Amino acid sequence: MAAVRLCRCRCRALLSRSAGALRARRGLAAGPEMHFGFQTVTEEERREKIYQVFENVAKKYDVMNDSMTLGIHRVWKDIFVHKMNPCPGTLLLDVAGGTGDIAFRFINYVHSVRQRQLQRKLKHHQNLSWQEIFESYQKDKFNSLGDSQVVVCDINREMLKVGKQKAQHLGYSEGLSWVLGNAEELPFDDDKFDVYTIAFGIRNVTRIDLALQEAYRVLKPGGRFLCLEFSHVSNPLLSRLYDLYSFQVIPVLGEVIAGDWKSYQYLVESIRQFPPQEELKAMIEDAGFFKVDYENLNFGIVAIHSGFKLHNENTSC
Amino acid sequence: MIVTVLSNPNHSRAVNCSLQRQHSQLPAGPARSGSQRPGNAPAARDAPAAQGCGPTAVVRCQQYPPLRALQASAALRGASDEHKKEPWASSSQQHFDSPPAGHQPEQKPQGPHPSYTGQGGQESEDYESEEQLQHRILTAALEFVPEHGWTAEAIAEGAKTLGLSVAAAGLFHSDGSELILHFVSECNTKLSELLKKEQKLVQLGEAEKKPIDEFLRDAVEARLRMLIPYIEKWPQALSVLLLPRNIPSSLNLLTSMIDDIWHYAGDQSTDFNWYTRRAVLTAIYNTTELVMMQDSSPGFEDTWRFLENRVADAMTMSNTATQVQSTGEAVVQGLMGAAVTIKNLAGLNQRR
């Protein structure tokens, strides 16, 4: 019975994915008909439904992440920030970063890099007078992040609320700001940010191409686009196990822990509907990014896509 | 180098990058030892493995098999041309640059690249390719090396001076390998130019031809002097160059430099001598470099004296080698003669 259900799900997935691909190939903007999990809905409906999904899960979001991925999502996010390798002075825009996981990791990373920098500077201060050392301490003490800043932007008010509470609880105060905004229409100026990240959020964006264009717009020349998202597992055996786990275990966990079967059913279905690695890479290149590549984590369960904005439309050197 | 950006990068990217190859205004390009993907047509980004990258790059390139076959083959044609002309192209590392277009100004024009928007695209001669931008960032980063070391921080500072975001340091590997390899290849190019100039002077009769040991000594000294501004952080660079990932590139750069020096020294051997000469000079160079690392004498006098002694040793060694060989032959002949004499005395030679 489970096998039959799985087959039906997969057939529907194949159908809707091929329909979506056809639409994309014809070059039409994803028309009024879109996918919401395995259902077909209009654009407006999709936005509303997704908003409701996250409104419902906001409070239990972190707990569910831990239980669904058995805590591995923390490792994924760590690897993600490590790949970013930010140096102090970086301005980060974390889109769909509701509960702030990436933002907090970014702050920790920059903080430790800054500490190392200060230590190295101290070593060179061996023959300064006490007065000079004291002054340099003063200057650097109030700059423990080295002017780095992270702006967390999310479309969902509930997720931002949970994020702010978490920040307060964990003691993150400086370098953090919370903005309500839509990834397809960011409330920021052009050429503002050094790094744009979107972790497990681009799947829920209704018009991915618009989001990528916005990302291109708000990044500085030389800025980096990073995207962490569930992706396509190519290994057939693993893929079957993964499907089994996704469709049988996760909604049940959702019901038991968060009391919400439907939202987690949507989640696993939306993973299947999302374009695979190569397609997303092509879309990122279409938005104008250079040196786009991806790195599979866990055989493709999760993939990190990275691209750079190398030129500005209006400058000449 | 003029760089202007079009208003429509998406449409014109493919064509412009290929044109940039022909019209680049770079000075004699620095020697590069590898290429990942000539960043011209968008398709080139999809088809890195097919373009004759070295074995180490293939492992990584195979992660994304080319989807756009048509464009891939067009890029292939272009890239393989470049590779054929590139004498020291070798296996590449992850984000290493490819030879810049300025190195081959007469490259034959490539056919119109099918851009994925299907448009012909405007032609612009000033569009900068990825590789050139990376090259510029690394060159700018070199001045921050004495302060930050050969790290991603130096690259980030370099990018900042060019007006790019510090995140552009993510274009390169985080341990600074590309920066070091870039620096080494720049030094090698400078050395080649220096040697070529000297050779021209000799040909024009304005300078005397130096004896071989003096020539080698001067060449190695000139090359090692280029390290002096970075001497504090050079041990770190040496250790990074010895990482397994970097060994193919660094070895390639080293051997091509030694080859260059011997070429300008007038070596035209075609026998085993070719190998021995290069091996000897490589040993001299490496040991002198190591001595220089811990030399604290004023003006590195100790290093230059060490170099002089090693070169002198090498010269006498070649004489000694021929002497040993002739002595050996003489000894063998003597023994043979003694054996024949004994046979005669013992009467074994007589026919019965």
Side-chain angles (χ1 to χ4, degrees):
Chain A
M1 163 131 160
V4 169
R5 181 154 176 257
L6 217 57
C7 282
R8 243 189 307 141
C9 293
R10 212 177 281 140
C11 290
R12 256 188 284 164
L14 277 169
L15 274 173
S16 26
R17 183 179 297 192
S18 59
L22 252 174
R23 246 180 275 125
R25 253 180 259 137
R26 268 192 246 126
L28 295 171
E33 295 281 296
M34 297 217 67
H35 57 80
F36 175 77
F38 290 157
Q39 310 166 24
T40 321
V41 296
T42 64
E43 245 184 67
E44 224 7 82
E45 275 180 20
R46 187 173 193 268
R47 282 210 187 91
E48 252 185 65
K49 288 194 168 203
I50 293 182
Y51 194 92
Q52 275 169 14
V53 162
F54 281 94
E55 212 177 15
N56 295 341
V57 308
K59 295 216 168 46
K60 297 277 183 151
Y61 186 72
D62 292 319
V63 174
M64 272 308 295
N65 277 348
D66 273 333
S67 53
M68 282 193 295
T69 63
L70 308 171
I72 302 181
H73 76 107
R74 297 168 190 242
V75 177
W76 290 335
K77 288 171 182 161
D78 284 338
I79 295 180
F80 186 59
V81 174
H82 211 85
K83 183 163 173 135
M84 196 199 310
N85 197 11
C87 56
T90 305
L91 196 53
L92 170 68
L93 173 64
D94 186 20
V95 174
T99 50
D101 276 340
I102 302 290
F104 301 148
R105 282 175 172 77
F106 170 83
I107 292 182
N108 291 344
Y109 196 100
V110 164
H111 186 76
S112 62
V113 172
R114 181 79 180 142
Q115 293 296 92
R116 251 184 289 142
Q117 260 185 3
L118 292 176
Q119 273 181 359
R120 240 182 295 146
K121 266 209 282 191
L122 270 180
K123 277 200 219 150
H124 290 295
H125 285 182
Q126 296 302 337
N127 37 12
L128 291 185
S129 70
W130 279 112
Q131 182 64 24
E132 287 165 315
I133 296 179
F134 175 72
E135 275 167 8
S136 75
Y137 259 120
Q138 290 281 13
K139 197 168 29 102
D140 294 329
K141 195 159 89 107
F142 297 121
N143 205 356
S144 69
L145 281 186
D147 296 327
S148 330
Q149 264 232 343
V150 54
V151 177
V152 180
C153 175
D154 200 292
I155 196 175
N156 196 303
R157 223 176 283 267
E158 291 300 311
M159 296 287 277
L160 280 179
K161 242 198 325 191
V162 172
K164 280 193 216 164
Q165 282 170 0
K166 228 168 86 169
Q168 241 181 354
H169 178 69
L170 293 172
Y172 291 98
S173 50
E174 45 166 325
L176 205 51
S177 33
W178 307 85
V179 173
L180 188 70
N182 184 351
E184 298 165 12
E185 229 184 300
L186 290 172
F188 303 110
D189 282 333
D190 300 358
D191 303 340
K192 274 246 111 69
F193 295 99
D194 291 307
V195 186
Y196 173 110
T197 57
I198 181 165
F200 299 121
I202 202 166
R203 204 175 67 247
N204 304 311
V205 166
T206 312
R207 294 280 307 274
I208 298 184
D209 50 344
L210 287 183
L212 292 174
Q213 281 173 25
E214 280 293 284
Y216 191 84
R217 180 180 69 82
V218 301
L219 277 175
K220 282 191 212 160
R224 189 172 194 183
F225 168 87
L226 280 167
C227 162
L228 177 69
E229 192 53 77
F230 288 108
S231 205
H232 182 67
V233 180
S234 39
N235 182 330
L237 174 63
L238 200 59
S239 163
R240 281 176 56 198
L241 287 172
Y242 180 49
D243 283 346
L244 202 69
Y245 180 76
S246 300
F247 287 100
Q248 304 307 317
V249 176
I250 289 183
V252 175
L253 276 179
E255 183 58 43
V256 165
I257 299 183
D260 194 348
W261 175 290
K262 288 227 171 88
S263 299
Y264 289 93
Q265 181 72 22
Y266 158 72
L267 179 118
V268 294
E269 290 178 357
S270 69
I271 294 178
R272 297 301 175 290
Q273 292 287 52
F274 190 66
Q277 287 88 327
E278 280 294 321
E279 225 180 286
L280 185 60
K281 175 170 176 238
M283 290 168 79
I284 299 177
E285 282 175 350
D286 280 349
F289 291 100
F290 284 86
K291 219 167 163 66
V292 182
D293 66 11
Y294 61 84
E295 185 187 333
N296 275 343
L297 301 178
N298 284 127
F299 298 109
I301 296 184
V302 171
I304 301 180
H305 282 77
S306 151
F308 289 89
K309 172 177 178 176
L310 287 184
H311 298 283
N312 201 350
E313 323 268 286
N314 309 315
T315 57
S316 57
C317 322
Chain B
M1 181 164 55
I2 305 171
V3 172
T4 55
V5 181
L6 316 164
S7 54
N8 248 340
N10 282 341
H11 298 310
S12 329
R13 230 182 358 211
V15 183
N16 296 321
C17 290
S18 72
L19 274 172
Q20 181 52 27
R21 290 218 175 149
Q22 308 160 33
H23 301 287
S24 161
Q25 293 144 33
L26 273 187
R32 300 294 180 74
S33 76
S35 75
Q36 187 193 16
R37 337 171 231 181
N40 45 10
R45 282 187 275 284
D46 298 332
Q51 288 158 6
C53 298
T56 50
V58 170
V59 172
R60 169 157 163 75
C61 296
Q62 275 167 358
Q63 277 185 10
Y64 14 115
L67 279 187
R68 305 170 186 170
L70 263 181
Q71 292 142 337
S73 56
L76 247 180
R77 253 182 290 125
S80 56
D81 290 338
E82 248 204 15
H83 273 271
K84 272 185 229 139
K85 294 183 189 167
E86 184 58 54
W88 46 72
S90 82
S91 59
S92 68
Q93 308 306 323
Q94 287 201 2
H95 293 283
F96 201 60
D97 305 337
S98 76
H103 191 73
Q104 295 130 27
E106 330 80 28
Q107 185 163 13
K108 54 181 184 291
Q110 302 160 13
H113 286 250
S115 112
Y116 50 83
T117 58
Q119 296 198 359
Q122 303 97 333
E123 304 188 344
S124 161
E125 304 176 346
D126 312 305
Y127 197 78
E128 187 184 52
S129 72
E130 264 177 56
E131 278 68 30
Q132 288 172 338
L133 183 67
Q134 288 181 334
H135 178 59
R136 277 203 307 149
I137 297 179
L138 290 178
T139 315
L142 282 178
E143 69 177 90
F144 296 98
V145 165
E147 187 191 336
H148 293 279
W150 304 91
T151 57
E153 275 173 11
I155 303 180
E157 295 286 323
K160 249 206 293 200
T161 57
L162 290 181
L164 294 174
S165 144
V166 290
L171 282 166
F172 310 99
H173 213 268
S174 55
D175 61 8
S177 328
E178 281 98 350
L179 185 56
I180 302 173
L181 289 168
H182 168 89
F183 172 68
V184 170
S185 71
E186 292 267 299
C187 287
N188 289 357
T189 318
K190 270 195 273 187
L191 180 69
S192 298
E193 286 171 11
L194 188 67
L195 293 177
K196 209 192 307 196
K197 251 194 301 188
E198 281 182 11
Q199 192 188 48
K200 266 212 188 74
L201 288 179
V202 168
Q203 280 174 352
L204 292 176
E206 292 171 16
E208 280 189 10
K209 188 164 160 67
K210 292 190 219 167
I212 288 223
D213 57 346
E214 199 184 317
F215 183 91
L216 294 180
R217 210 174 353 121
D218 285 344
V220 174
E221 184 178 332
R223 175 63 176 82
L224 287 176
R225 279 193 186 273
M226 298 182 200
L227 297 181
I228 292 183
Y230 307 97
I231 197 80
E232 297 222 337
K233 309 280 180 178
W234 192 244
Q236 178 197 1
L238 279 182
S239 64
V240 169
L241 283 178
L242 284 175
L243 288 175
R245 190 170 23 96
N246 293 330
I247 285 187
S249 303
S250 64
L251 209 55
N252 200 33
L253 285 171
L254 177 67
T255 49
S256 62
M257 183 220 354
I258 300 285
D259 198 26
D260 254 354
I261 298 181
W262 268 119
H263 170 77
Y264 287 107
D267 171 43
Q268 293 178 342
S269 52
T270 48
D271 52 357
F272 199 76
N273 254 333
W274 193 92
Y275 293 100
T276 31
R277 288 195 179 146
R278 275 147 189 78
V280 162
L281 188 57
T282 313
I284 295 178
Y285 178 83
N286 282 340
T287 45
T288 317
E289 195 177 18
L290 288 176
V291 166
M292 195 172 167
M293 290 300 104
Q294 44 80 52
D295 186 8
S296 48
S297 59
F300 297 96
E301 296 166 346
D302 288 346
T303 312
W304 310 136
R305 211 172 318 128
F306 177 87
L307 175 62
E308 206 178 312
N309 291 340
R310 294 290 78 68
V311 172
D313 280 350
M315 295 295 121
T316 52
M317 202 162 46
S318 64
N319 291 343
T320 320
T322 28
Q323 278 179 5
V324 165
Q325 200 183 23
S326 52
T327 316
E329 278 172 18
V331 166
V332 165
Q333 282 195 356
L335 285 174
M336 292 291 289
V340 169
T341 315
I342 293 176
K343 263 169 61 177
N344 285 343
L345 288 176
L348 291 171
N349 246 358
Q350 294 175 358
R351 282 170 223 259
R352 298 228 178 89

